[in-house]
Amino acid sequence: MIRMRLSRLLVLLLLLLPVSVALAQQPSTRHRPALSPSAAPGVPIDAYIKDAWSTLQRSMTSCASLVDPKIKAAPVLYLPKDYPEPAAVAALRAKCGVRAERLPVIVERIGQPVSVPTPGLLYLPHPYIVPGGRFNEMYGWDSYFILLGLVRAGKIGLARGIVENFFFEIEHYGGILNANRTYYFSRSQPPFLTSMIRSVYDAEIAAGERPEARAWLGRAYGYAQRGYALWTRPEHRASDTGLARYYDFADGPVPEMGDDPSYYQNVIQWLLAHPSVHTDYLVDGPETIPDNPTAADRAHLAEISCDPQASPVCAQAHIGTHWLSRDFYKGDRAMRESGFDTSFRFGPFSGSTHHNAPMCLNALLYKYERDLAWMARELNKPADAQKWNAAADARRAAIDRYLWNDAKGMYFDYDFVAGRQSTYAFLTTFESLWAGAASPLQAQRVEQNLGLFEKPGGAATSTTDSGVQWDSPYGWAPLEWLAADGMLRFGDIKDASRLSREFSATVRDNFACDRTIHEKYNVVTSSSTIALTAGYTQNVVGFGWTNGVYLEMQNLLQHAGTANVAPPGVAHCSAQ
């Protein structure tokens, strides 16, 4: 998911107002989305989460859905070019006073140029859940963990509608987007679609809706195949390794940084302050941008860095003559597709993400291929099942060749440009267990390394304290759950239960202190207080995927017989 730093003023507004940040040109206050950033005293955490499914819900019948704190422009709702305007959209025009327009082209693939005069929200037919805070749209990988919570809460219809929205994106927007905003047409998010499909299908089967569920699975199988095709396109291939990489089809700084133009300047400042860290991320450019640069000057700057006339963010993304390189921006964009924005996993600020075959993506694609094989068997398509199993076998062989480190008993990413395996220990090594890509012996070896990451409040994302949010000492609900559920799938109930107990206690104890739930936590101090020195420095409240993972962990602990047992070293309100 895209994580962006807010100014102190915006952070203060988020914490104090029960609404999303909205800018002057957006709908009036009565249309801004209520996010319930804090619960009233005495409200238990389970009640807060139950209520959050309503406060975080968006749809095309709600004015609150249009608000976008990241862009300084009046809200616009875009419909697919060839899609009839629903009555709800006409009602939305009158109710909210927003513009509703059609996209200028039929979108057939992610990365296809789609030029719109004003950034806006992309229409989706069903209600969905947003993460919270400034993330007021439906995100790709957030939705999987949100969906787990919805299913656990018995909201199967809402969960299925979210999956149907992803089918709509594949049909009308070229694939599953980072999120349903026009500025995300150039990239996707970690591929969890088949996992979402299986969660909904299993829930409907358990509810006794077998005929309807099987018919739906037939539809879902077609969309799942179309979603998979993105990851086998040449741009997403990690050279000839047989593995995939993250990749954004656009160039230059991302437009959604409009609310924090200092981010790229901070990256430059960090690079200048650390000359011993050798990168090719800085290039020399003009100290000032003339009002009317020549075509040659503009073309040269766009070739080495970015086009300041095409991008207002680019125009501010320099310090003196220091600009960020064009290749850095490719890596920066790929990092955002990965959802891990930002860590130092792929160089400072992950500026070389697109040069790497990451363990997380290839574990997810391995599971995706096995899921497609399972769907094919369920639908009596044995030839298809054989094809998908063969693809999974080939990917697993490539994972073992390039990503497994037998000496360390862990999986690492692979820099296919430099031709070497990374040494950066990252919690995504446990995704191999969750995806089933590890052998029993490999799983055991990975589990033996849990101590590298485990802290009093859960598992840290990495073993490196870089000062940015997707590194130590921070723990995030998605990776906490993938690690715990992965160990559980290999029979390690003890470690899975302990990790779930630690992280859910951190969430619960901090809720008792500040009456809200956050996107991430400091798992060393078991606190929601963060002290980031670079990158995005807010800790957004809400928060969809943490809510879902908390419910899943409580279910795991209940079945293990240890629910709500707090470990030692829990958070203290005085530390908040």
Side-chain angles (χ1 to χ4, degrees):
M1 145 164 336
I2 303 208
R3 312 289 174 199
M4 302 171 191
R5 192 178 71 170
L6 296 172
S7 69
R8 291 183 179 179
L9 175 60
L10 288 178
V11 173
L12 183 61
L13 286 172
L14 266 178
L15 293 175
L16 295 179
L17 296 177
V19 296
S20 170
V21 175
L23 300 173
Q25 292 178 291
Q26 294 188 336
S28 63
T29 303
R30 71 182 186 275
H31 296 323
R32 296 175 186 175
L35 294 177
S36 280
S38 61
V43 174
I45 188 171
D46 290 344
Y48 175 87
I49 292 174
K50 182 179 179 180
D51 185 61
W53 298 133
S54 297
T55 58
L56 295 175
Q57 183 172 316
R58 303 286 179 267
S59 73
M60 298 300 106
T61 63
S62 169
C63 303
S65 302
L66 277 293
V67 174
D68 186 2
K70 298 183 292 301
I71 296 294
K72 298 177 181 179
V76 180
L77 176 65
Y78 287 96
L79 290 160
K81 180 178 176 62
D82 57 346
Y83 191 77
E85 180 174 295
V89 172
L92 199 66
R93 291 177 191 259
K95 179 182 178 182
C96 309
V98 299
R99 290 160 49 202
E101 299 182 1
R102 294 192 178 278
L103 292 172
V105 296
I106 294 175
V107 184
E108 298 178 338
R109 66 189 185 280
I110 288 179
Q112 176 182 335
V114 182
S115 178
V116 293
T118 304
L121 185 74
L122 295 168
Y123 170 85
L124 292 174
H126 302 284
Y128 52 90
I129 303 296
V130 302
R134 66 196 299 279
F135 306 115
N136 194 38
E137 46 274 320
M138 188 183 79
Y139 282 82
W141 77 314
D142 290 67
S143 292
Y144 171 66
F145 303 96
I146 288 169
L147 185 144
L148 292 179
L150 292 174
V151 171
R152 185 64 58 195
K155 298 180 178 294
I156 302 173
L158 181 54
R160 177 168 168 168
I162 289 173
V163 178
E164 288 283 348
N165 281 337
F166 286 123
F167 295 167
F168 189 89
E169 287 191 1
I170 292 169
E171 186 73 33
H172 296 284
Y173 303 136
I176 291 179
L177 303 178
N178 192 139
N180 60 315
R181 298 280 181 189
T182 54
Y183 45 77
Y184 292 137
F185 271 129
S186 62
R187 65 178 178 271
S188 185
Q189 281 245 287
F192 279 94
L193 179 60
T194 57
S195 297
M196 289 189 269
I197 291 169
R198 292 195 67 169
S199 292
V200 171
Y201 177 79
D202 290 345
E204 292 186 337
I205 291 294
E209 301 176 7
R210 183 172 294 274
E212 295 86 350
R214 286 191 62 83
W216 183 73
L217 186 66
R219 278 187 65 238
Y221 178 60
Y223 283 112
Q225 291 181 85
R226 292 169 66 177
Y228 174 83
L230 169 72
W231 303 100
T232 59
R233 287 171 61 177
E235 295 88 351
H236 273 104
R237 293 175 188 162
S239 188
D240 59 354
T241 61
L243 300 170
R245 66 168 176 171
Y246 288 112
Y247 185 84
D248 185 307
F249 290 86
D251 297 305
V254 293
E256 64 271 21
M257 293 304 298
D259 70 334
D260 186 17
S262 67
Y263 173 78
Y264 291 117
Q265 293 177 355
N266 291 341
V267 172
I268 296 172
Q269 287 175 336
W270 189 96
L271 293 169
L272 292 175
H274 296 82
S276 62
V277 179
H278 300 290
T279 71
D280 58 359
Y281 297 165
L282 293 178
V283 294
D284 291 329
E287 186 169 0
T288 59
I289 304 296
D291 292 335
N292 295 297
T294 66
D297 287 342
R298 182 181 171 187
H300 173 69
L301 187 55
E303 181 63 28
I304 63 170
S305 179
C306 56
D307 187 342
Q309 284 199 326
S311 167
V313 178
C314 169
Q316 301 180 67
H318 70 103
I319 296 178
T321 60
H322 301 289
W323 294 70
L324 291 164
S325 70
R326 180 186 178 93
D327 194 62
F328 170 84
Y329 285 124
K330 294 300 291 187
D332 178 74
R333 284 176 166 271
M335 169 198 70
R336 297 165 195 277
E337 183 173 76
S338 79
F340 296 108
D341 42 347
T342 288
S343 82
F344 274 39
R345 178 182 172 193
F346 301 120
F349 303 93
S350 283
S352 298
T353 301
H354 59 315
H355 294 171
N356 286 266
M359 180 59 208
C360 49
L361 174 58
N362 286 284
L364 291 176
L365 289 174
Y366 173 84
K367 184 178 185 298
Y368 202 121
E369 290 154 351
R370 292 296 190 207
D371 286 344
L372 286 171
W374 171 84
M375 290 183 196
R377 289 195 302 273
E378 289 288 304
L379 298 169
N380 195 28
K381 298 177 182 290
D384 277 14
Q386 184 177 9
K387 176 187 71 173
W388 292 119
N389 277 326
D393 289 342
R395 188 174 303 277
R396 181 171 178 174
I399 288 172
D400 284 345
R401 177 179 178 184
Y402 291 102
L403 308 182
W404 173 250
N405 188 310
D406 195 60
K408 296 182 179 180
M410 292 174 61
Y411 293 90
F412 292 87
D413 308 310
Y414 181 75
D415 185 335
F416 61 87
V417 175
R420 61 173 177 264
Q421 190 181 79
S422 173
T423 60
Y424 206 95
F426 212 73
L427 194 58
T428 50
T429 187
F430 283 87
E431 286 193 43
S432 61
L433 280 64
W434 179 83
S439 69
L441 179 58
Q442 287 171 320
Q444 183 180 23
R445 299 283 309 284
V446 171
E447 290 167 356
Q448 290 170 352
N449 283 296
L450 179 60
L452 292 175
F453 305 95
E454 190 174 11
K455 307 299 178 186
T461 304
S462 77
T463 60
T464 301
D465 185 350
S466 64
V468 297
Q469 64 179 6
W470 280 98
D471 273 321
S472 182
Y474 301 106
W476 295 72
L479 292 191
E480 304 287 336
W481 178 246
L482 293 176
D485 195 34
M487 291 186 290
L488 187 67
R489 293 183 187 209
F490 275 87
D492 187 357
I493 299 175
K494 179 180 178 181
D495 286 334
S497 297
R498 188 180 67 256
L499 181 60
S500 296
R501 190 166 62 247
E502 291 164 350
F503 186 71
S504 59
T506 295
V507 175
R508 184 174 59 252
D509 294 338
N510 280 274
F511 176 81
C513 294
D514 58 26
R515 314 303 298 161
T516 193
I517 294 178
H518 297 266
E519 65 173 351
K520 59 181 173 287
Y521 294 86
N522 183 323
V523 294
V524 172
T525 61
S526 302
S527 172
S528 60
T529 299
I530 63 173
L532 297 164
T533 59
Y536 314 131
T537 58
Q538 87 278 19
N539 195 3
V540 178
V541 301
F543 192 82
W545 65 17
T546 311
N547 300 348
V549 165
Y550 180 84
L551 294 181
E552 285 294 274
M553 285 184 164
Q554 289 304 294
N555 181 70
L556 185 157
L557 292 170
Q558 181 179 4
H559 285 85
T562 57
N564 292 316
V565 178
V570 296
H572 300 285
C573 292
S574 60
Q576 300 305 301

